[in-house]
Amino acid sequence: MNLFFTLAAAALVSNAAMIDDCRYADDVAARANWKPMGATAPVTVTNVAGRPALRLPCNFAGTSIERASWDRKVDLDLTASRGIQFKLWCRDVSPVGHFSCYFESGAGWYSASFFPEATNSWNVITIDKVATKPEGKPAGWGQIKAIRISAWRGKDVNTEMLLCDLKQADTLGGDAVVAVVRGESAAQRNPDEARSVAQFTETVAQELQALDIGCAVVSDLDVTAERLKSAKLVVLPHNPQMPENAVEELVKYVGAGGKLLAFYSVPGKLRGVLHVTGGDHVRAAYTGNFSTMRFAPNALPGAPKLVGQRSWNIHALKPVAGESRVLAEWLDAKGVPTGHAAVLGSANGLVMTHVLLTDDPANKRKMLLAMVGHLVPEVWRKAVDASIARVGTPTDDTARALRDAALKLAAEQRFAEAMDKAVEAQRQVQKAFCMAQRPEPGEFRAFWCHSAFGVEGIEWDEAIRRLAANGFTAILPNMLWGGVAYYDSQLLPVVAADKGDQIAKCLAVCRKYGVQIHVWKVNWNLGHAVPAEFAEKMRSEKRLQMSSRGKEEKWLCPSHPDNQKLEIDTMVEVARKYDVDGIHFDYIRYPGNDHCFCDGCRDRFQQATGVALPNWPKEALAAGPLRQKWLDWRRSNINTVVQAVSEQARAIKPKIKISAAVFRQWNTDRDNVGQDWKLWCDNGWLDFVCPMDYTTSNRNFENWVAQQVQWAGRVPVHPGIGVSASRSKFGVEQLIEQILITRKHKTHGFTIFNYGVTESRELLPLLGLGITAPQK
């Protein structure tokens, strides 16, 4: 389920409140409501097949605007809505890098990206609140002051958008029966919490929508019993430090008959409502301490007996005698009970003692449906009906028999059993689709593997054997960072040395099974596992990056000569010590456009330009007199490392392949993050390049790939496909569709993120049935 936008042929939901139907009498009336941003061209009115609409011109040719944007002032309460919907038509999307929608609230904004799939018809776009990211300090969804639509420059060619029927999407009490509360207050107080709050909220909402359980995300800044009264269930996915007034309102909500499903953090007053006690924070005593949730027989109808989840800590909640009970317990990796509850239940709701992770996805989704179905029984039928509908009319006898069995069980209201049959039927149809695909000879097929230890739960030998058995030709394992090495390095701190030299282990089995190994380094970023003493040494030597506001980052400053030497020498060390097929750059850039402004950068930039800097860093910021020289100088620092690694590694091993994972939009990212990868291709410093084209939009993916092939010239592009990236998660069907797009543009290869447990167990065997089937 795509949380960023939904393409639909059907009309918008009938109960949605209209915001702007875009039926204006003339340009003057339209421009009174829709204001262009900066040098963006103003809107005009138009007519499409008798339908009035707005025309939004994207004037990229001959201008320097980074995006075409228009603001619509509003006074909206979107608290009880899923978000907004609108119809959009863009006949030529190729000049657009991506589209965005923003909501102004308080002293900040919420933002989300989208991309239209069809170019010859209207697209119905849904901007889901759960997919938005806060910028600044938004005050919740209760008072939205403006909506901004933006098209970001992809290339210097004009295009236009047509817009109509802007309205609210699924509302509580209508299509949405579940309210998911996002902990925005905690994210505002502690920015480090923002990512985890967003991640776990999105995971729950995404799973609910995949089950066709309508839900709307509500900020904890907006929570009141009155606003929640139409919700049959409120879910708390990860809500640390919930505001006291929000807790009080949730108590009122439950008192009026509402139900709660809480994960991990449960405020004290809500523990009383849910009839649980305790809640001490317990860290896993060892890896695999909390590995599986085992449900007691008949404790939660429809739940699997075992649900895998490798949790690193829990809140040790306990039942209140006579008021609640343990429904599932935690087992360790050996199947031994830990003595801690995993799921507890009472008349008012359910509690899981950790956040909902994405491992063991099939059983996790089944468990979530059982939880919601237990608290809101009517969702069972809708979820089952939707699952059966997704089977379609299969030609396969087995799938057809399973679908018919699901229909019969649903008619008998045996919904859990019906869902099992429907899911089996979907898998059978999926398998048939995969078997119908054909491999392409000579294709580069690779996985990035973010863990230096490979796939959790299996050895490198088995992980690489599975790749080879399913037709994959290469792996890119993450073996070193700016401040960490997982091999016998003489230059970087070696961590987890007791587990052995991971490059040596992986290399040996790659040679055994005929799979290429391209060792992946995360450049500049010290890494989460960096030893404290090494980080402190870099700090004391003034080798870390600073923002223009003086905030320190655990990234090495690219202009510091010692840092450049360390980056070069560590990658060349890998080429010298190991007979690897290649070395792979990642994070070979700055963190963003606000880095690095440390004292060393000021001195080195001043020396390079010969210009005094009395107002540092204003001279180098946007609109500063030295801005262009600053951007050129930043790029040169990164280019120096890429060129040196390429030349020195090839001098040692002439056949070694040099590659890089890069941002997708070279023409803007060369300024934004100093990553001039087209130059690296033009100069022959790379042997292939992997743009990280992580998107759930096939049209967006193709748009990027078509442009990247032109930028790379003679250097092969092996696009990165984000099956499990944070901003794009999807299944094998869409993965196959994106692989076919790479073949259409003759990239002769692709790279998938990320090689983990689910990919190894479930994805690989399906790919190996057809599209990557090994040659016999």
Side-chain angles (χ1 to χ4, degrees):
M1 175 71 69
N2 180 6
L3 292 176
F4 292 92
F5 60 89
T6 302
L7 175 64
L12 298 175
V13 295
S14 59
N15 68 337
M18 183 66 70
I19 299 168
D20 189 339
D21 62 8
C22 300
R23 295 175 181 268
Y24 291 99
D26 52 33
D27 293 349
V28 173
R31 291 172 182 176
N33 283 329
W34 289 86
K35 304 294 185 182
M37 178 179 164
T40 301
V43 301
T44 60
V45 296
T46 187
N47 194 290
V48 183
R51 172 66 173 88
L54 282 180
R55 174 180 171 271
L56 284 65
C58 303
N59 53 319
F60 296 140
T63 71
S64 59
I65 61 172
E66 64 175 357
R67 56 176 165 164
S69 296
W70 301 264
D71 287 358
R72 172 65 158 91
K73 292 296 182 183
V74 295
D75 183 8
L76 290 175
D77 183 350
L78 295 180
T79 303
S81 300
R82 176 182 172 189
I84 63 168
Q85 288 181 320
F86 52 87
K87 288 182 180 178
L88 184 135
W89 194 334
C90 184
R91 292 184 175 90
D92 182 11
V93 296
S94 64
V96 182
H98 68 281
F99 298 83
S100 296
C101 182
Y102 298 83
F103 303 85
E104 186 179 11
S105 167
W109 297 76
Y110 298 103
S111 67
S113 297
F114 66 92
F115 208 90
E117 292 295 309
T119 56
N120 58 355
S121 63
W122 288 105
N123 297 265
V124 176
I125 307 294
T126 298
I127 305 296
D128 198 316
K129 291 187 319 191
V130 74
T132 63
K133 294 184 173 67
E135 300 178 8
K137 291 189 175 182
W141 293 91
Q143 189 172 356
I144 300 300
K145 298 184 288 187
I147 295 174
R148 175 177 294 170
I149 304 293
S150 298
W152 293 79
R153 176 192 294 272
K155 54 186 178 183
D156 300 339
V157 175
N158 289 337
T159 187
E160 66 179 24
M161 297 184 285
L162 305 180
L163 178 73
C164 68
D165 288 346
L166 174 64
K167 58 178 70 175
Q168 294 188 41
D170 308 355
T171 55
L172 291 172
D175 298 281
V177 298
V178 177
V180 181
V181 178
R182 183 160 68 175
E184 293 180 11
S185 61
Q188 287 187 9
R189 286 193 299 270
N190 181 5
D192 293 339
E193 285 279 12
R195 184 172 181 178
S196 59
V197 165
Q199 175 187 346
F200 299 124
T201 304
E202 185 171 346
T203 294
V204 169
Q206 189 173 29
E207 289 300 310
L208 290 172
Q209 292 184 17
L211 289 163
D212 281 87
I213 298 172
C215 66
V217 171
V218 178
S219 169
D220 63 357
L221 300 171
D222 295 325
V223 165
T224 67
E226 178 65 21
R227 282 171 165 163
L228 297 175
K229 68 180 181 180
S230 297
K232 301 290 183 68
L233 171 67
V234 169
V235 179
L236 306 179
H238 178 46
N239 300 79
Q241 303 172 331
M242 181 175 283
E244 188 63 29
N245 65 305
V247 175
E248 295 286 357
E249 293 297 323
L250 285 172
V251 171
K252 292 178 187 177
Y253 166 78
V254 175
K259 304 293 183 182
L260 289 179
L261 171 56
F263 293 88
Y264 195 38
S265 301
V266 182
K269 289 184 179 179
L270 290 184
R271 294 178 199 176
V273 167
L274 290 166
H275 303 298
V276 295
T277 186
D280 291 342
H281 185 259
V282 177
R283 291 187 176 276
Y286 54 90
T287 302
N289 192 180
F290 303 121
S291 291
T292 305
M293 292 177 279
R294 181 172 66 184
F295 281 86
N298 304 314
L300 188 64
K305 180 181 179 181
L306 299 173
V307 180
Q309 172 151 313
R310 305 278 284 192
S311 291
W312 51 93
N313 56 51
I314 63 169
H315 281 152
L317 294 163
K318 299 176 182 179
V320 174
E323 299 287 348
S324 61
R325 63 191 182 106
V326 174
L327 306 182
E329 63 180 339
W330 285 107
L331 307 180
D332 69 10
K334 297 180 180 179
V336 177
T338 64
H340 291 290
V343 180
L344 304 96
S346 71
N348 291 333
L350 301 173
V351 181
M352 183 172 142
T353 57
H354 197 218
V355 292
L356 189 73
L357 303 181
T358 57
D359 47 350
D360 195 9
N363 282 325
K364 202 65 64 64
R365 185 169 295 173
K366 190 174 178 180
M367 178 188 75
L368 186 61
L369 176 58
M371 288 173 157
V372 177
H374 176 71
L375 299 170
V376 189
E378 58 262 41
V379 305
W380 272 110
R381 177 169 289 283
K382 185 177 181 182
V384 168
D385 288 347
S387 187
I388 293 172
R390 280 193 288 272
V391 178
T393 307
T395 57
D396 178 86
D397 291 341
T398 302
R400 188 165 53 250
L402 288 165
R403 182 206 59 187
D404 292 345
L407 286 167
K408 182 175 184 295
L409 289 164
E412 297 168 358
Q413 298 190 31
R414 296 160 62 185
F415 296 121
E417 297 167 80
M419 179 61 83
D420 287 343
K421 294 296 182 184
V423 170
E424 285 184 56
Q426 289 177 45
R427 287 175 181 158
Q428 191 66 29
V429 171
Q430 182 186 69
K431 182 178 178 181
F433 172 73
C434 292
M435 292 178 70
Q437 309 304 315
R438 295 291 177 266
E440 181 176 280
E443 193 169 55
F444 179 86
R445 304 172 189 148
F447 266 102
W448 280 294
C449 184
H450 207 289
S451 170
F453 307 103
V455 178
E456 186 177 8
I458 60 176
E459 297 295 327
W460 272 116
D461 189 284
E462 178 60 15
I464 301 302
R465 186 199 66 77
R466 291 181 188 178
L467 287 178
N470 289 287
F472 274 74
T473 63
I475 188 167
L476 285 65
N478 180 197
M479 296 294 186
L480 62 163
W481 293 63
V484 173
Y486 293 90
Y487 63 95
D488 184 20
S489 175
Q490 304 302 308
L491 303 170
L492 288 172
V494 179
V495 297
D498 58 315
K499 295 184 178 180
D501 184 323
Q502 296 304 308
I503 293 182
K505 286 187 174 185
C506 185
L507 174 61
V509 294
C510 282
R511 293 290 172 261
K512 177 180 176 180
Y513 293 110
V515 172
Q516 297 175 37
I517 174 173
H518 298 258
V519 171
W520 160 17
K521 176 174 186 181
V522 174
N523 299 97
W524 311 115
N525 188 325
L526 294 182
H528 63 278
V530 61
E533 57 272 20
F534 184 83
E536 182 54 39
K537 180 176 186 292
M538 297 298 102
R539 179 178 295 108
S540 65
E541 295 177 2
K542 302 186 183 304
R543 292 172 61 176
L544 298 182
Q545 292 197 40
M546 289 280 186
S547 74
S548 63
R549 298 179 301 277
K551 181 183 177 184
E552 182 183 273
E553 298 283 353
K554 283 191 175 181
W555 287 49
L556 297 174
C557 171
S559 77
H560 197 296
D562 291 343
N563 291 343
Q564 291 184 0
K565 185 175 188 307
L566 182 64
E567 289 295 311
I568 295 164
D569 290 350
T570 52
M571 294 191 78
V572 173
E573 178 186 49
V574 172
R576 180 181 295 109
K577 288 174 66 74
Y578 304 94
D579 188 24
V580 296
D581 298 282
I583 47 179
H584 184 70
F585 290 101
D586 188 20
Y587 282 54
I588 187 65
R589 56 177 174 81
Y590 287 82
N593 61 11
D594 194 38
H595 294 84
C596 171
F597 291 93
C598 68
D599 291 343
C601 276
R602 180 196 59 206
D603 295 341
R604 290 184 283 272
F605 179 56
Q606 183 170 269
Q607 183 177 5
T609 59
V611 178
L613 303 172
N615 298 310
W616 179 260
K618 290 183 179 180
E619 297 95 338
L621 296 177
L626 299 178
R627 181 65 173 175
Q628 191 56 54
K629 288 182 180 293
W630 167 255
L631 294 175
D632 292 340
W633 181 75
R634 282 207 321 165
R635 280 192 289 272
S636 71
N637 294 322
I638 305 296
N639 295 342
T640 294
V641 172
V642 176
Q643 180 180 6
V645 169
S646 179
E647 292 173 352
Q648 293 180 33
R650 286 167 173 164
I652 296 167
K653 286 188 172 65
K655 292 184 179 181
I656 198 168
K657 301 294 183 184
I658 313 298
S659 61
V662 298
F663 277 16
R664 56 186 179 258
Q665 205 70 41
W666 161 79
N667 58 335
T668 54
D669 291 324
R670 66 192 296 270
D671 281 347
N672 290 339
V673 295
Q675 191 174 73
D676 201 356
W677 61 263
K678 182 180 183 299
L679 176 73
W680 309 343
C681 294
D682 290 345
N683 289 349
W685 298 341
L686 298 182
D687 293 288
F688 63 90
V689 63
C690 304
M692 296 175 287
D693 295 334
Y694 304 157
T695 176
T696 53
S697 166
N698 289 348
R699 175 70 64 180
N700 201 10
F701 181 80
E702 182 164 8
N703 200 36
W704 289 337
V705 171
Q707 180 64 75
Q708 290 157 357
V709 168
Q710 295 180 29
W711 284 333
R714 291 171 295 177
V715 173
V717 175
H718 298 324
I721 303 177
V723 169
S724 53
S726 59
R727 58 181 177 267
S728 64
K729 298 181 176 70
F730 47 82
V732 68
E733 294 93 337
Q734 188 164 16
L735 171 56
I736 287 172
E737 290 166 1
Q738 294 195 0
I739 290 173
L740 293 175
I741 290 170
T742 71
R743 291 179 180 176
K744 176 181 174 181
H745 292 277
K746 303 186 186 323
T747 69
H748 304 296
F750 53 87
T751 312
I752 300 173
F753 185 90
N754 166 59
Y755 191 36
V757 174
T758 300
E759 291 77 16
S760 175
R761 291 178 182 172
E762 300 177 18
L763 190 67
L764 263 180
L766 290 170
L767 295 174
L769 291 174
I771 198 146
T772 66
Q775 301 299 299
K776 296 181 180 179

